mmCIF file of all heavy atoms in Angstrom:
data_model
loop_
_atom_site.group_PDB
_atom_site.id
_atom_site.type_symbol
_atom_site.label_atom_id
_atom_site.label_comp_id
_atom_site.label_asym_id
_atom_site.label_seq_id
_atom_site.Cartn_x
_atom_site.Cartn_y
_atom_site.Cartn_z
ATOM 1 N N LYS A 3 3.878 1.618 -0.816
ATOM 2 C CA LYS A 3 4.633 1.779 -2.061
ATOM 3 C C LYS A 3 3.767 2.418 -3.148
ATOM 4 O O LYS A 3 4.183 3.329 -3.872
ATOM 5 C CB LYS A 3 5.144 0.411 -2.546
ATOM 6 C CG LYS A 3 6.525 0.105 -2.036
ATOM 7 C CD LYS A 3 6.978 -1.206 -2.624
ATOM 8 C CE LYS A 3 8.318 -1.597 -2.028
ATOM 9 N NZ LYS A 3 8.694 -2.974 -2.397
ATOM 10 N N ILE A 4 2.533 1.870 -3.205
ATOM 11 C CA ILE A 4 1.630 2.402 -4.238
ATOM 12 C C ILE A 4 1.353 3.886 -3.998
ATOM 13 O O ILE A 4 1.412 4.715 -4.905
ATOM 14 C CB ILE A 4 0.300 1.605 -4.264
ATOM 15 C CG1 ILE A 4 0.594 0.158 -4.658
ATOM 16 C CG2 ILE A 4 -0.688 2.240 -5.241
ATOM 17 C CD1 ILE A 4 -0.570 -0.763 -4.565
ATOM 18 N N ALA A 5 1.113 4.196 -2.722
ATOM 19 C CA ALA A 5 0.835 5.592 -2.393
ATOM 20 C C ALA A 5 2.013 6.475 -2.756
ATOM 21 O O ALA A 5 1.855 7.546 -3.345
ATOM 22 C CB ALA A 5 0.516 5.729 -0.906
ATOM 23 N N LEU A 6 3.191 5.981 -2.443
ATOM 24 C CA LEU A 6 4.403 6.740 -2.755
ATOM 25 C C LEU A 6 4.534 6.941 -4.267
ATOM 26 O O LEU A 6 4.816 8.031 -4.761
ATOM 27 C CB LEU A 6 5.630 5.994 -2.209
ATOM 28 C CG LEU A 6 6.890 6.842 -2.078
ATOM 29 C CD1 LEU A 6 6.744 7.838 -0.933
ATOM 30 C CD2 LEU A 6 8.110 5.955 -1.859
ATOM 31 N N PHE A 7 4.275 5.822 -4.959
ATOM 32 C CA PHE A 7 4.355 5.871 -6.410
ATOM 33 C C PHE A 7 3.394 6.925 -6.977
ATOM 34 O O PHE A 7 3.748 7.763 -7.801
ATOM 35 C CB PHE A 7 4.019 4.484 -6.983
ATOM 36 C CG PHE A 7 3.976 4.454 -8.481
ATOM 37 C CD1 PHE A 7 5.155 4.539 -9.222
ATOM 38 C CD2 PHE A 7 2.765 4.335 -9.166
ATOM 39 C CE1 PHE A 7 5.120 4.509 -10.608
ATOM 40 C CE2 PHE A 7 2.731 4.310 -10.538
ATOM 41 C CZ PHE A 7 3.909 4.398 -11.257
ATOM 42 N N LEU A 8 2.171 6.872 -6.460
ATOM 43 C CA LEU A 8 1.169 7.829 -6.935
ATOM 44 C C LEU A 8 1.597 9.267 -6.650
ATOM 45 O O LEU A 8 1.417 10.163 -7.470
ATOM 46 C CB LEU A 8 -0.197 7.546 -6.276
ATOM 47 C CG LEU A 8 -0.965 6.363 -6.847
ATOM 48 C CD1 LEU A 8 -2.274 6.153 -6.091
ATOM 49 C CD2 LEU A 8 -1.257 6.562 -8.332
ATOM 50 N N LEU A 9 2.188 9.418 -5.471
ATOM 51 C CA LEU A 9 2.638 10.747 -5.089
ATOM 52 C C LEU A 9 3.704 11.261 -6.056
ATOM 53 O O LEU A 9 3.675 12.414 -6.493
ATOM 54 C CB LEU A 9 3.194 10.709 -3.657
ATOM 55 C CG LEU A 9 3.093 12.025 -2.884
ATOM 56 C CD1 LEU A 9 1.641 12.359 -2.593
ATOM 57 C CD2 LEU A 9 3.892 11.931 -1.592
ATOM 58 N N VAL A 10 4.622 10.334 -6.373
ATOM 59 C CA VAL A 10 5.695 10.706 -7.304
ATOM 60 C C VAL A 10 5.098 11.091 -8.661
ATOM 61 O O VAL A 10 5.417 12.131 -9.243
ATOM 62 C CB VAL A 10 6.713 9.553 -7.468
ATOM 63 C CG1 VAL A 10 7.669 9.844 -8.617
ATOM 64 C CG2 VAL A 10 7.473 9.359 -6.176
ATOM 65 N N VAL A 11 4.196 10.215 -9.119
ATOM 66 C CA VAL A 11 3.547 10.501 -10.403
ATOM 67 C C VAL A 11 2.837 11.858 -10.353
ATOM 68 O O VAL A 11 2.975 12.687 -11.246
ATOM 69 C CB VAL A 11 2.529 9.385 -10.756
ATOM 70 C CG1 VAL A 11 1.678 9.801 -11.946
ATOM 71 C CG2 VAL A 11 3.267 8.089 -11.021
ATOM 72 N N PHE A 12 2.142 12.069 -9.227
ATOM 73 C CA PHE A 12 1.392 13.312 -9.063
ATOM 74 C C PHE A 12 2.319 14.525 -9.212
ATOM 75 O O PHE A 12 2.067 15.437 -9.995
ATOM 76 C CB PHE A 12 0.729 13.315 -7.685
ATOM 77 C CG PHE A 12 -0.051 14.564 -7.392
ATOM 78 C CD1 PHE A 12 -1.261 14.806 -8.036
ATOM 79 C CD2 PHE A 12 0.420 15.490 -6.484
ATOM 80 C CE1 PHE A 12 -1.981 15.952 -7.763
ATOM 81 C CE2 PHE A 12 -0.301 16.644 -6.216
ATOM 82 C CZ PHE A 12 -1.505 16.874 -6.854
ATOM 83 N N PHE A 13 3.443 14.471 -8.498
ATOM 84 C CA PHE A 13 4.345 15.616 -8.569
ATOM 85 C C PHE A 13 5.010 15.739 -9.941
ATOM 86 O O PHE A 13 5.274 16.824 -10.416
ATOM 87 C CB PHE A 13 5.386 15.560 -7.446
ATOM 88 C CG PHE A 13 4.836 16.091 -6.165
ATOM 89 C CD1 PHE A 13 4.527 15.251 -5.110
ATOM 90 C CD2 PHE A 13 4.594 17.458 -6.031
ATOM 91 C CE1 PHE A 13 3.988 15.754 -3.932
ATOM 92 C CE2 PHE A 13 4.065 17.960 -4.852
ATOM 93 C CZ PHE A 13 3.748 17.106 -3.794
ATOM 94 N N ALA A 14 5.275 14.546 -10.492
ATOM 95 C CA ALA A 14 5.884 14.574 -11.827
ATOM 96 C C ALA A 14 4.946 15.285 -12.802
ATOM 97 O O ALA A 14 5.365 16.138 -13.586
ATOM 98 C CB ALA A 14 6.167 13.153 -12.288
ATOM 99 N N VAL A 15 3.664 14.933 -12.711
ATOM 100 C CA VAL A 15 2.693 15.545 -13.623
ATOM 101 C C VAL A 15 2.611 17.043 -13.362
ATOM 102 O O VAL A 15 2.670 17.867 -14.264
ATOM 103 C CB VAL A 15 1.306 14.879 -13.453
ATOM 104 C CG1 VAL A 15 0.248 15.688 -14.198
ATOM 105 C CG2 VAL A 15 1.362 13.459 -13.966
ATOM 106 N N ILE A 16 2.492 17.386 -12.078
ATOM 107 C CA ILE A 16 2.432 18.807 -11.720
ATOM 108 C C ILE A 16 3.672 19.531 -12.246
ATOM 109 O O ILE A 16 3.597 20.612 -12.827
ATOM 110 C CB ILE A 16 2.377 18.974 -10.183
ATOM 111 C CG1 ILE A 16 1.064 18.452 -9.644
ATOM 112 C CG2 ILE A 16 2.595 20.430 -9.792
ATOM 113 C CD1 ILE A 16 -0.070 19.416 -9.722
ATOM 114 N N GLY A 17 4.797 18.894 -12.010
ATOM 115 C CA GLY A 17 6.051 19.525 -12.359
ATOM 116 C C GLY A 17 6.242 19.675 -13.855
ATOM 117 O O GLY A 17 6.776 20.689 -14.310
ATOM 118 N N PHE A 18 5.803 18.693 -14.600
ATOM 119 C CA PHE A 18 6.139 18.725 -16.020
ATOM 120 C C PHE A 18 4.982 19.117 -16.937
ATOM 121 O O PHE A 18 5.215 19.513 -18.065
ATOM 122 C CB PHE A 18 6.695 17.366 -16.452
ATOM 123 C CG PHE A 18 8.039 17.099 -15.828
ATOM 124 C CD1 PHE A 18 8.166 16.208 -14.775
ATOM 125 C CD2 PHE A 18 9.163 17.772 -16.274
ATOM 126 C CE1 PHE A 18 9.402 15.974 -14.181
ATOM 127 C CE2 PHE A 18 10.400 17.548 -15.691
ATOM 128 C CZ PHE A 18 10.532 16.649 -14.639
ATOM 129 N N ALA A 19 3.774 18.988 -16.376
ATOM 130 C CA ALA A 19 2.646 19.314 -17.240
ATOM 131 C C ALA A 19 2.727 20.789 -17.609
ATOM 132 O O ALA A 19 2.941 21.645 -16.766
ATOM 133 C CB ALA A 19 1.337 19.037 -16.525
ATOM 134 N N LYS A 20 2.578 21.054 -18.872
ATOM 135 C CA LYS A 20 2.590 22.438 -19.301
ATOM 136 C C LYS A 20 1.230 23.043 -19.021
ATOM 137 O O LYS A 20 0.205 22.416 -19.280
ATOM 138 C CB LYS A 20 2.863 22.493 -20.803
ATOM 139 C CG LYS A 20 4.322 22.602 -21.142
ATOM 140 C CD LYS A 20 4.456 23.042 -22.586
ATOM 141 C CE LYS A 20 5.911 23.345 -22.904
ATOM 142 N NZ LYS A 20 6.079 23.879 -24.235
ATOM 143 N N THR A 21 1.230 24.229 -18.494
ATOM 144 C CA THR A 21 -0.029 24.937 -18.383
ATOM 145 C C THR A 21 -0.311 25.544 -19.745
ATOM 146 O O THR A 21 0.551 26.188 -20.330
ATOM 147 C CB THR A 21 0.079 26.071 -17.352
ATOM 148 O OG1 THR A 21 0.674 25.540 -16.184
ATOM 149 C CG2 THR A 21 -1.279 26.642 -17.040
ATOM 150 N N ASN A 22 -1.510 25.294 -20.226
ATOM 151 C CA ASN A 22 -1.850 25.870 -21.515
ATOM 152 C C ASN A 22 -2.723 27.105 -21.322
ATOM 153 O O ASN A 22 -3.789 27.037 -20.738
ATOM 154 C CB ASN A 22 -2.566 24.835 -22.382
ATOM 155 C CG ASN A 22 -2.716 25.325 -23.787
ATOM 156 O OD1 ASN A 22 -1.762 25.860 -24.365
ATOM 157 N ND2 ASN A 22 -3.907 25.193 -24.351
ATOM 158 N N LEU A 23 -2.233 28.211 -21.812
ATOM 159 C CA LEU A 23 -2.924 29.472 -21.617
ATOM 160 C C LEU A 23 -3.565 29.898 -22.927
ATOM 161 O O LEU A 23 -2.897 29.998 -23.949
ATOM 162 C CB LEU A 23 -1.891 30.509 -21.182
ATOM 163 C CG LEU A 23 -2.314 31.560 -20.184
ATOM 164 C CD1 LEU A 23 -2.963 30.936 -18.975
ATOM 165 C CD2 LEU A 23 -1.092 32.355 -19.742
ATOM 166 N N GLU A 24 -4.881 30.129 -22.875
ATOM 167 C CA GLU A 24 -5.550 30.612 -24.086
ATOM 168 C C GLU A 24 -5.711 32.117 -23.997
ATOM 169 O O GLU A 24 -6.284 32.625 -23.042
ATOM 170 C CB GLU A 24 -6.927 29.981 -24.194
ATOM 171 C CG GLU A 24 -6.953 28.737 -25.017
ATOM 172 C CD GLU A 24 -8.355 28.182 -25.072
ATOM 173 O OE1 GLU A 24 -9.302 28.967 -25.286
ATOM 174 O OE2 GLU A 24 -8.495 26.973 -24.865
ATOM 175 N N VAL A 25 -5.254 32.794 -25.016
ATOM 176 C CA VAL A 25 -5.306 34.247 -25.008
ATOM 177 C C VAL A 25 -6.086 34.733 -26.216
ATOM 178 O O VAL A 25 -5.837 34.296 -27.342
ATOM 179 C CB VAL A 25 -3.883 34.839 -25.042
ATOM 180 C CG1 VAL A 25 -3.934 36.350 -25.082
ATOM 181 C CG2 VAL A 25 -3.087 34.366 -23.833
ATOM 182 N N LEU A 26 -7.065 35.580 -25.991
ATOM 183 C CA LEU A 26 -7.808 36.162 -27.114
ATOM 184 C C LEU A 26 -7.323 37.589 -27.299
ATOM 185 O O LEU A 26 -7.452 38.428 -26.410
ATOM 186 C CB LEU A 26 -9.307 36.117 -26.820
ATOM 187 C CG LEU A 26 -10.222 36.420 -28.002
ATOM 188 C CD1 LEU A 26 -11.553 35.725 -27.810
ATOM 189 C CD2 LEU A 26 -10.439 37.891 -28.208
ATOM 190 N N TRP A 27 -6.743 37.831 -28.448
ATOM 191 C CA TRP A 27 -6.079 39.112 -28.690
ATOM 192 C C TRP A 27 -6.587 39.694 -29.987
ATOM 193 O O TRP A 27 -7.273 39.015 -30.750
ATOM 194 C CB TRP A 27 -4.566 38.857 -28.729
ATOM 195 C CG TRP A 27 -3.736 40.044 -28.385
ATOM 196 C CD1 TRP A 27 -2.878 40.698 -29.211
ATOM 197 C CD2 TRP A 27 -3.669 40.693 -27.119
ATOM 198 N NE1 TRP A 27 -2.290 41.725 -28.529
ATOM 199 C CE2 TRP A 27 -2.759 41.752 -27.245
ATOM 200 C CE3 TRP A 27 -4.319 40.508 -25.888
ATOM 201 C CZ2 TRP A 27 -2.469 42.627 -26.207
ATOM 202 C CZ3 TRP A 27 -4.021 41.365 -24.848
ATOM 203 C CH2 TRP A 27 -3.097 42.406 -25.009
ATOM 204 N N MET A 28 -6.229 40.921 -30.249
ATOM 205 C CA MET A 28 -6.737 41.521 -31.469
ATOM 206 C C MET A 28 -5.836 41.193 -32.648
ATOM 207 O O MET A 28 -4.643 40.956 -32.483
ATOM 208 C CB MET A 28 -6.865 43.008 -31.316
ATOM 209 C CG MET A 28 -7.652 43.593 -32.449
ATOM 210 S SD MET A 28 -8.624 44.987 -32.014
ATOM 211 C CE MET A 28 -7.407 46.168 -31.619
ATOM 212 N N GLY A 29 -6.413 41.221 -33.837
ATOM 213 C CA GLY A 29 -5.698 40.773 -35.025
ATOM 214 C C GLY A 29 -4.749 41.776 -35.615
ATOM 215 O O GLY A 29 -4.796 42.054 -36.804
ATOM 216 N N TRP A 30 -3.859 42.307 -34.798
ATOM 217 C CA TRP A 30 -2.784 43.082 -35.394
ATOM 218 C C TRP A 30 -1.895 42.114 -36.160
ATOM 219 O O TRP A 30 -1.966 40.896 -35.931
ATOM 220 C CB TRP A 30 -1.981 43.769 -34.280
ATOM 221 C CG TRP A 30 -2.694 44.917 -33.676
ATOM 222 C CD1 TRP A 30 -3.077 46.061 -34.300
ATOM 223 C CD2 TRP A 30 -3.118 45.046 -32.317
ATOM 224 N NE1 TRP A 30 -3.706 46.905 -33.408
ATOM 225 C CE2 TRP A 30 -3.737 46.308 -32.187
ATOM 226 C CE3 TRP A 30 -3.014 44.232 -31.194
ATOM 227 C CZ2 TRP A 30 -4.271 46.764 -30.986
ATOM 228 C CZ3 TRP A 30 -3.537 44.688 -29.999
ATOM 229 C CH2 TRP A 30 -4.161 45.939 -29.897
ATOM 230 N N PRO A 31 -1.056 42.598 -37.041
ATOM 231 C CA PRO A 31 -0.237 41.674 -37.827
ATOM 232 C C PRO A 31 0.442 40.609 -36.955
ATOM 233 O O PRO A 31 1.086 40.916 -35.956
ATOM 234 C CB PRO A 31 0.805 42.590 -38.460
ATOM 235 C CG PRO A 31 0.095 43.890 -38.592
ATOM 236 C CD PRO A 31 -0.835 43.983 -37.425
ATOM 237 N N THR A 32 0.229 39.363 -37.370
ATOM 238 C CA THR A 32 0.639 38.218 -36.558
ATOM 239 C C THR A 32 2.088 38.268 -36.125
ATOM 240 O O THR A 32 2.398 38.106 -34.944
ATOM 241 C CB THR A 32 0.449 36.928 -37.384
ATOM 242 O OG1 THR A 32 -0.772 37.053 -38.070
ATOM 243 C CG2 THR A 32 0.436 35.727 -36.495
ATOM 244 N N ASP A 33 2.954 38.498 -37.099
ATOM 245 C CA ASP A 33 4.377 38.405 -36.775
ATOM 246 C C ASP A 33 4.765 39.361 -35.658
ATOM 247 O O ASP A 33 5.557 39.051 -34.788
ATOM 248 C CB ASP A 33 5.216 38.673 -38.028
ATOM 249 C CG ASP A 33 4.789 39.950 -38.728
ATOM 250 O OD1 ASP A 33 3.575 40.207 -38.765
ATOM 251 O OD2 ASP A 33 5.659 40.682 -39.222
ATOM 252 N N LYS A 34 4.143 40.554 -35.671
ATOM 253 C CA LYS A 34 4.507 41.538 -34.659
ATOM 254 C C LYS A 34 3.961 41.157 -33.290
ATOM 255 O O LYS A 34 4.660 41.233 -32.287
ATOM 256 C CB LYS A 34 4.005 42.917 -35.067
ATOM 257 C CG LYS A 34 4.755 43.488 -36.255
ATOM 258 C CD LYS A 34 4.379 44.942 -36.438
ATOM 259 C CE LYS A 34 5.080 45.542 -37.646
ATOM 260 N NZ LYS A 34 4.644 46.919 -37.850
ATOM 261 N N VAL A 35 2.696 40.768 -33.251
ATOM 262 C CA VAL A 35 2.112 40.392 -31.965
ATOM 263 C C VAL A 35 2.915 39.264 -31.339
ATOM 264 O O VAL A 35 3.163 39.245 -30.136
ATOM 265 C CB VAL A 35 0.648 39.946 -32.140
ATOM 266 C CG1 VAL A 35 0.079 39.487 -30.813
ATOM 267 C CG2 VAL A 35 -0.189 41.072 -32.711
ATOM 268 N N MET A 36 3.349 38.341 -32.182
ATOM 269 C CA MET A 36 3.991 37.144 -31.658
ATOM 270 C C MET A 36 5.358 37.416 -31.042
ATOM 271 O O MET A 36 5.836 36.628 -30.238
ATOM 272 C CB MET A 36 4.099 36.070 -32.742
ATOM 273 C CG MET A 36 2.758 35.517 -33.201
ATOM 274 S SD MET A 36 1.654 35.028 -31.861
ATOM 275 C CE MET A 36 2.404 33.459 -31.395
ATOM 276 N N THR A 37 5.986 38.537 -31.384
ATOM 277 C CA THR A 37 7.307 38.808 -30.791
ATOM 278 C C THR A 37 7.222 38.780 -29.274
ATOM 279 O O THR A 37 8.029 38.123 -28.611
ATOM 280 C CB THR A 37 7.843 40.199 -31.212
ATOM 281 O OG1 THR A 37 6.840 40.873 -31.934
ATOM 282 C CG2 THR A 37 9.095 40.101 -32.010
ATOM 283 N N LEU A 38 6.247 39.476 -28.723
ATOM 284 C CA LEU A 38 6.134 39.530 -27.265
ATOM 285 C C LEU A 38 5.760 38.171 -26.684
ATOM 286 O O LEU A 38 6.308 37.742 -25.668
ATOM 287 C CB LEU A 38 5.081 40.563 -26.857
ATOM 288 C CG LEU A 38 5.547 42.020 -26.806
ATOM 289 C CD1 LEU A 38 4.409 42.920 -26.379
ATOM 290 C CD2 LEU A 38 6.717 42.160 -25.839
ATOM 291 N N VAL A 39 4.828 37.501 -27.344
ATOM 292 C CA VAL A 39 4.391 36.197 -26.837
ATOM 293 C C VAL A 39 5.554 35.212 -26.839
ATOM 294 O O VAL A 39 5.756 34.466 -25.876
ATOM 295 C CB VAL A 39 3.217 35.662 -27.681
ATOM 296 C CG1 VAL A 39 2.825 34.271 -27.232
ATOM 297 C CG2 VAL A 39 2.029 36.613 -27.575
ATOM 298 N N ASN A 40 6.329 35.245 -27.901
ATOM 299 C CA ASN A 40 7.472 34.329 -27.973
ATOM 300 C C ASN A 40 8.478 34.612 -26.867
ATOM 301 O O ASN A 40 9.062 33.678 -26.301
ATOM 302 C CB ASN A 40 8.148 34.431 -29.336
ATOM 303 C CG ASN A 40 7.256 33.879 -30.438
ATOM 304 O OD1 ASN A 40 6.323 33.112 -30.154
ATOM 305 N ND2 ASN A 40 7.497 34.286 -31.672
#
Side-chain angles (χ1 to χ4, degrees):
Chain A
K3 268 183 185 170
I4 296 173
L6 198 71
F7 176 72
L8 283 178
L9 208 68
V10 170
V11 170
F12 179 72
F13 278 107
V15 169
I16 292 277
F18 292 105
K20 269 196 172 185
T21 312
N22 190 45
L23 216 51
E24 266 180 45
V25 178
L26 192 153
W27 205 245
M28 192 147 66
W30 286 297
T32 319
D33 51 322
K34 290 190 182 177
V35 177
M36 294 311 283
T37 6
L38 277 180
V39 176
N40 292 340

